[in-house]
Amino acid sequence: LARVDTPQGRPTAEPVEVGVVVHQAAERFAAVAESRGSTLQVSVGPGPLVIVGSSEWLDRLLGVLLDNAFKYAPQGGVVAVSVGAEGNRVRLVVEDSGPGIPDDERPKIFDRFHRAEAQGGYGSGLGLAIADAVVRHSHGRWEVNTSTLGGARMAVSWPRVLTSSKDPSEADPPVSWTVPAAAPPPAEA
């Protein structure tokens, strides 16, 4: 978090294809989904889905959001991550089938050391503070609400960098895949 707070700790901003970062993060979290008997749904819209930021920091942001989604979704639940273009913005959404974030907790979730005690109070309370710093420094905007899956829906949108190197008819095609729920591990006796 200190790296994000100081100008010398911030990486140089560069064009980042968010679809690639989503794909890489989803591959890492597929093992988490399998170990919890959960389903991971991934959807990457047609590209390019380029923003200005740091791929390392965007990966950290996705790691925080996916980690939280799997922590709060019940065993055998669903976590979904999607990214796509909405006009001149790129929108990333991570949602889960967990208990969601109560309305009275939402204004505090990005505070350092805040943990949702009613939800079990997992972690140190720094993950979403780090995620918020990444979003702010990459000129993103948050939208936090309830998912159609029943849990939290964490969405971020950024200004889209429109690349002129590709003809729009040659845009990267949309990609979707699901890591199906595996049978949960047997309970230890």
Side-chain angles (χ1 to χ4, degrees):
L1 193 53
R3 284 181 53 202
V4 176
D5 286 342
T6 60
Q8 57 271 33
R10 295 181 198 142
T12 304
E14 59 189 11
V16 178
E17 171 55 64
V18 183
V20 170
V21 178
V22 165
H23 181 82
Q24 292 168 341
E27 285 182 342
R28 282 195 325 275
F29 276 87
V32 175
E34 186 176 332
S35 72
R36 293 182 50 80
S38 298
T39 299
L40 173 60
Q41 299 171 343
V42 182
S43 177
V44 177
L49 301 169
V50 179
I51 68 167
V52 174
S54 159
S55 59
E56 175 190 351
W57 282 17
L58 290 175
D59 183 66
R60 175 81 43 94
L61 167 67
L62 261 164
V64 167
L65 295 177
L66 286 168
D67 187 57
N68 281 355
F70 279 108
K71 281 180 185 174
Y72 288 104
Q75 185 132 355
V78 177
V79 171
V81 59
S82 63
V83 64
E86 289 187 0
N88 63 352
R89 298 192 69 82
V90 172
R91 183 178 189 76
L92 168 71
V93 178
V94 176
E95 51 192 328
D96 64 66
S97 61
I101 302 169
D103 290 341
D104 62 331
E105 287 283 327
R106 290 180 188 175
K108 301 178 269 186
I109 63 171
F110 299 115
D111 294 348
R112 292 179 189 199
F113 307 111
H114 177 75
R115 296 182 309 169
E117 297 299 331
Q119 306 291 328
Y122 297 109
S124 64
L126 290 175
L128 285 176
I130 292 168
D132 185 48
V134 170
V135 170
R136 284 184 290 111
H137 290 294
S138 59
H139 307 288
R141 292 191 295 221
W142 284 105
E143 181 184 310
V144 179
N145 50 35
T146 302
S147 165
T148 57
L149 300 172
R153 183 176 189 269
M154 307 290 289
V156 182
S157 68
W158 295 272
R160 184 178 184 196
V161 176
L162 299 175
T163 59
S164 59
S165 61
K166 279 190 173 181
D167 179 316
S169 66
E170 297 174 14
D172 298 328
V175 177
S176 295
W177 72 95
T178 300
V179 176
E188 297 197 20

